[in-house]
Amino acid sequence: MDAHYNIQLIIFIVIALALFLGGLILWNKIKASHNRLKEEMEALKKHITIKEETIYEQRHSLKELTREKQYLSTMLLVLPDLAKELSSTIALKDIEYTIIKIPIKMFEARFAMLHYLEGEKLTLKREMGLRDEEAKNYKEIKLGEGRIGFTARKQIVMTSDDFEGESKLMKDRILVDKERGLKIDMCAPLIHRGKIYGVVSVGEVSKKKDDARILMGLIANLGAIALENALIFDEIQRQSDIDRSTDLYNLTYFYKYLDRELKKSARYIRPLEVVIFDIDHLREYNELFGHLEGENVIRIIGGIIKSSMRNVDIPCRYGGGSYGIILPETDKEKALMVAERIRKEVEEYPFSLKKVTISGGMAAYPEKGSEANILLKEAESNLSKAKGSGRNRIIG
């Protein structure tokens, strides 16, 4: 019985040992499979992370491409219109209005302003969307004051974020705009060939754009080029209309604007006066002191006449020692006062060599005629009468 029990025990031990060894082998296989599965999961996780990063980068690139597409679309819409409007005219006023009209349209702003830099101040030249009181508050700005003045000083495009990012010292100067009552969102200096002409600004923008700074800079740059060209043309035109000796208009300009002013007077039923002056005894003066001194007298009297004119009046060098003046919206009584004041100033002027006087003849529209040649003939006739009756007097 003991032998039988021992045999059973041995068999049990063998079976148990076999089961243990089998379980150990199975465990090792399971562990190895688990480790392999873990490694595969880690690899899969890393692969998924890389894919997610790739997808994120692709989304970011797609977003950038979409933004660039929107920017290019805006450029394609804005550039042709802007270039066309700025190049379709050489009239300074039209160019100025285009410079403020485009940003209002582009950013859906309530208002825009164009200031010209004149020394140490900026003067409001054109505006759109402002109430009268608002425009009055921005009529003149010191260089460096408020957002507009600060932009002119810094000479770069500035947005609201840029202004907010300035130092406290600068913010105190920029905050002046709040006292003036307007919220200015963007300002851009108009610079070309290193010269700053002024600042264009927009406010109360309702359409925010990521590329606003670029767009404002583009408007300002193209605007500055157009402004410079218009100013150069105006100067060339002015030089062609000006008599160099006296800095008055020349005879060609005088004839052209006399016709224009007569048509305007007829349309609005307003008076107009023509005055022709002539220096008394100029020939004798030249013979006595020389033509150089005579030209000096002509120049001085031209300056006296010019300083006596309103902005709407048109003074010219009529020829030799003669001058012509067009006085729009002026009746005979007022014209005589102007002519007499000029005559008296010449008479009292301290010429260095000899006293000089002038005589004048006047002609009134519509009393003496409605055509330029008739009025000029009347004025010249009255001038001859003034000369013949003792000189240094006005007849009209």
Side-chain angles (χ1 to χ4, degrees), residues 1 40 53 69 83 101 109 118 132 155 221 265 270 370 385:
M1 182 163 176
E40 289 176 356
E53 289 175 353
K69 182 184 176 183
K101 181 176 68 177
E118 299 171 352
D132 291 342
Q155 297 193 14
N221 290 337
S265 295
R270 292 172 181 171
S370 58
K385 291 176 184 177

Side-chain angles (χ1 to χ4, degrees), residues 248 254 273-280 282 298 301-302 304-306 308-309 314-327 335-346 357-363 376 379-380 382-384 386-387 392-395:
L248 301 177
F254 181 81
E273 196 79 23
V274 174
V275 185
I276 297 178
F277 293 109
D278 189 71
I279 302 173
D280 297 327
L282 180 61
I298 291 170
I301 294 175
I304 292 172
I305 292 172
K306 187 175 182 180
S308 301
M309 297 292 97
I314 302 168
C316 86
R317 174 87 177 273
Y318 200 68
S322 299
Y323 310 87
I325 302 174
I326 303 170
L327 300 172
L336 184 59
M337 289 174 60
V338 173
E340 278 292 343
R341 185 172 67 247
I342 293 170
R343 183 201 63 77
K344 190 172 182 181
E345 283 190 41
V346 173
T357 62
I358 59 172
S359 299
M362 297 168 46
L376 291 174
E380 289 173 357
N382 286 330
L383 174 60
S384 296
K387 291 276 191 181
N392 191 25
R393 65 195 63 206
I394 309 295
I395 292 180

Side-chain angles (χ1 to χ4, degrees), residues 230-336:
L231 289 168
I232 289 172
F233 179 82
D234 276 4
E235 180 59 24
I236 292 171
Q237 187 67 43
R238 194 188 77 83
Q239 291 296 334
S240 69
D241 292 333
I242 296 296
D243 174 71
R244 293 186 180 183
S245 297
T246 60
D247 202 31
L248 301 177
Y249 293 112
N250 57 32
L251 192 56
T252 303
Y253 185 93
F254 181 81
Y255 286 144
K256 179 172 66 177
Y257 273 82
L258 180 54
D259 283 332
R260 184 176 297 181
E261 290 299 327
L262 283 171
K263 289 176 183 176
K264 193 184 296 183
S265 295
R267 187 183 309 124
Y268 298 108
I269 315 174
R270 292 172 181 171
L272 178 144
E273 196 79 23
V274 174
V275 185
I276 297 178
F277 293 109
D278 189 71
I279 302 173
D280 297 327
H281 302 296
L282 180 61
R283 182 180 296 176
E284 289 87 342
Y285 191 95
N286 287 336
E287 289 174 355
L288 188 61
F289 302 111
H291 284 276
L292 191 60
E293 287 297 331
E295 282 295 317
N296 189 44
V297 168
I298 291 170
R299 180 185 59 79
I300 291 171
I301 294 175
I304 292 172
I305 292 172
K306 187 175 182 180
S307 65
S308 301
M309 297 292 97
R310 304 167 299 177
N311 289 335
V312 296
D313 299 333
I314 302 168
C316 86
R317 174 87 177 273
Y318 200 68
S322 299
Y323 310 87
I325 302 174
I326 303 170
L327 300 172
E329 301 181 29
T330 306
D331 59 26
K332 183 176 180 179
E333 184 180 352
K334 290 179 181 178
L336 184 59

